Structure formats: C-alpha cells, structure tokens
Amino acid sequence: MIAVIALNTIFQKWGISTRSNQWNISGEPCSGAAIDSTSFDDKNYNPFIKCDCSANSNSTCHINQLKVYALNIVGVIPDELWALTFLFNLSFGINALSGTLPKELGNLTDLLSLSFSTNNFIGSLPSELGNLVKLEQLMSVAQDYKNFVTTNLICHIASYFDSSRVSGAIPSTFANLKSLVTVWASDTELIGRIPDFIRNWSKLITLRLEGNSLEGPIPLTFSNLTSLTELRISDLPNGSSSLAFIKNMKSLSTLVLRNNNISDSIPSNIGEYLNLSQLDLSFNNITGQIPNALFNLSLLSFLFLGNNKLNGTLPAQKSESLLNM
C-alpha cells in the first residue's frame, strides 16, 4: 500500500495521466499489463510499471519497474520515489526534470538499470551511485547536461552520461560498478583524467568517452577490457597515448580513437581483428606504415587514418566491404 500511495503521489506531482487505451494508473496498479507478459518496452504503455506478485505465496506485489519516458515532465524527482525499494529498472529519460540528482538514488540498491538521460539536471554526480553494485546499465544521456555521466543501471550493463549538464569528475566510487556492460559518457563537460579504475569494469562491451573535457593519456590498464566490442574515445587534450592497450581486444567491431595525441604505430597484428567494421585513428601522431592486413579485413567498412604521420603506399586491392577510407 505504501508503494501504491508513493506511486500515485509521484504521478500527481509530475502531472501524469494516461490515455484510455493505455495502462490505467488509478485503482490497483499491479494488474493487467503490469503483471502479464506485456514487455516493459512496449511503446503502447507509457507511463508504465511492472510488478512482481510472487512474494508471500503470491499474495504480495512489489513494483519493480517504472517507466516515465519522453512525456515532457517538469519539476524535480519526488521524495516518494525512495519508497519504491524493490525497483530494479527505473527509466525517466527524455523529459524536462531539473535540480540535482538526489543522492538517495544510491539507496535503490536493487537497481540493475537506471536511465535519466536528456533532462535538465545540474550539479555533481552523486558519489552514492557507487552503492548500486548490481548496476548493469547506467543511462543518463541528456541534451544539455554539464559533466554528466549517463548511467543506465540495468543489471550492471550500461552507464550513460551523454549530453548532460551535471558537472565534475567521474566519482571514485564508480570503481565499485564492476558489473557494467555499457558506458556512454559523451558530449558532456566531464573533467579530469580518464580514471584508471575503469579497468575494474572488465565486463564492459561498450565504452564511449567522446567530446568531453576529459584529459589523457588513455590508461594502459584499459588492456583489461578484453570484452569490448565498441570503444570510442576522442578529443583528449593532454597526455601522449599509446595503442598498446588494444593488443588483446580482438572482439572489437568499432574502434574510434580520434584526436587523442596517440604517438605509436598501428599494431602489426591488426589483421587479427576479424570483427572490425569501423576504425578511426585520425588526427593523431601515428607513424609508420599501414599494415596491408588492414585492407583484407572482410567486415571493415569505414577506415579513417587521416592527419597522422603515416608513410608508404596503399595496396592495389582492398576488401570489397571497405566503402569509406
């Protein structure tokens, strides 16, 4: 009952109503689509909740997923949200929410996925987010965020800081988020050196650190991120980076390391990166010859190596998949 009252209060404060053909937020919320097989991502339901009614021999329901997506909601995050302690999926992205991100978000320790992207939050990222050790997806992509880390807290899968106005460095407590699979932290004003503790995120599949105010060099300890399939880091103003850390990242399909003061040569084993479809090493200080094996990668479609100090000639033949270079 407490959770139901809290939910209704949240919706009242946010001025939320639903169309007649959608889930009805009045009455008993844990019914109908909230407990049947309807997907949480079903576009016909927004706002939407999902419930788990298996507690106490199927006699007690808990709200465990909440979506309020792209509804132009204004105001702040209501305190009543902290009563929904069983949430593992929380999505309120693409709205007009303002104020600071409450430190109480760190109390929702069952969260696997958290999305608060594209809002108008300001201030620092709460260090308490480091308490969300189950977090797999952290998503906080926002158009005008400052120094904001997009964090989708779904089972430690993703972390998104894109386009945020939140200011400051990535908190050191984020070293605890060892289950993260996806991290997007692009187009913000994140500051400071790229944290060495990112090496702890060994389950990462996607990492994006583009268009920020972060500084190099790229830590060599990134070599621990061997599960990556997508790595994007760009525009690091300081430090001289090496490509040595990518030596064992043979699962990469996208590698973008543009404008990072990289002083190195292209790895001689680049022909072993059989999944590569996009490679951008432009605007660096890379020297030496371009390995011929690079042009034989059967999946490589986009290759950008301009504005470096490379030498030698291009091969007469290249893979048919290579459309742009």
Side-chain angles (χ1 to χ4, degrees):
M1 180 61 70
I2 294 176
V4 172
I5 294 173
L7 180 67
N8 289 334
T9 302
I10 292 169
F11 284 177
Q12 289 173 7
K13 288 185 175 181
W14 281 346
I16 290 175
S17 60
T18 57
R19 298 192 300 270
S20 59
N21 65 333
Q22 288 184 319
W23 166 67
N24 187 356
I25 63 174
S26 62
E28 171 54 51
C30 289
S31 61
I35 57 174
D36 65 18
S37 60
T38 302
S39 170
F40 183 74
D41 297 322
D42 192 319
K43 295 181 180 179
N44 293 316
Y45 294 89
N46 185 31
F48 193 34
I49 68 167
K50 296 294 287 186
C51 299
D52 178 5
C53 296
S54 62
N56 297 325
S57 300
N58 299 323
S59 63
T60 302
C61 294
H62 297 299
I63 298 170
N64 59 11
Q65 299 188 72
L66 171 61
K67 174 177 68 177
V68 180
Y69 180 78
L71 293 177
N72 198 32
I73 303 299
V74 298
V76 299
I77 299 176
D79 290 339
E80 287 77 9
L81 182 63
W82 320 132
L84 305 182
T85 57
F86 290 89
L87 284 176
F88 72 81
N89 190 350
L90 175 59
S91 173
F92 49 90
I94 312 184
N95 284 294
L97 293 169
S98 57
T100 59
L101 280 174
K103 63 181 182 181
E104 287 81 5
L105 276 169
N107 294 336
L108 301 178
T109 54
D110 281 344
L111 279 177
L112 300 179
S113 176
L114 171 62
S115 175
F116 48 90
S117 63
T118 316
N119 281 284
N120 296 315
F121 296 114
I122 59 173
S124 301
L125 284 168
S127 61
E128 288 78 7
L129 290 180
N131 296 334
L132 304 177
V133 296
K134 295 181 181 180
L135 195 62
E136 296 180 1
Q137 184 168 336
L138 175 60
M139 191 172 190
S140 74
V141 181
Q143 289 179 341
D144 295 318
Y145 288 6
K146 179 181 181 182
N147 295 345
F148 185 86
V149 178
T150 299
T151 306
N152 235 342
L153 311 179
I154 292 180
C155 300
H156 297 265
I157 291 179
S159 173
Y160 303 88
F161 306 86
D162 289 5
S163 306
S164 163
R165 292 195 321 184
V166 173
S167 60
I170 301 175
S172 60
T173 55
F174 278 35
N176 299 328
L177 305 181
K178 298 179 182 180
S179 296
L180 286 170
V181 175
T182 301
V183 174
W184 289 4
S186 300
D187 299 320
T188 73
E189 294 180 10
L190 287 168
I191 62 174
R193 291 185 63 172
I194 295 179
D196 183 70
F197 64 67
I198 289 178
R199 70 183 186 277
N200 294 339
W201 301 348
S202 59
K203 296 181 181 180
L204 275 181
I205 294 176
T206 299
L207 175 60
R208 297 184 182 184
L209 299 172
E210 298 179 289
N212 298 296
S213 295
L214 293 168
E215 299 178 2
I218 301 172
L220 290 176
T221 54
F222 273 29
S223 60
N224 193 42
L225 308 179
T226 55
S227 295
L228 282 173
T229 62
E230 178 181 351
L231 175 61
R232 299 173 183 265
I233 302 175
S234 67
D235 305 315
L236 299 179
N238 298 314
S240 178
S241 297
S242 166
L243 290 174
F245 71 92
I246 71 169
K247 180 179 179 181
N248 295 315
M249 294 183 178
K250 304 294 180 60
S251 297
L252 283 170
S253 61
T254 298
L255 178 61
V256 177
L257 298 174
R258 185 180 186 274
N259 192 26
N260 292 321
N261 291 310
I262 295 174
S263 298
D264 206 344
S265 59
I266 298 175
S268 59
N269 69 335
I270 194 68
E272 299 174 12
Y273 291 64
L274 301 179
N275 295 317
L276 264 184
S277 63
Q278 180 178 348
L279 176 63
D280 186 349
L281 301 176
S282 60
F283 294 91
N284 285 293
N285 297 308
I286 299 175
T287 59
Q289 293 190 340
I290 305 175
N292 285 339
L294 183 60
F295 298 93
N296 295 325
L297 293 173
S298 61
L299 299 180
L300 188 63
S301 299
F302 300 91
L303 175 62
F304 303 99
L305 301 174
N307 294 89
N308 280 290
K309 299 177 181 179
L310 295 162
N311 55 48
T313 60
L314 296 178
Q317 295 182 335
K318 63 179 181 64
S319 170
E320 294 181 357
S321 66
L322 189 54
L323 303 177
N324 293 277
M325 59 177 292

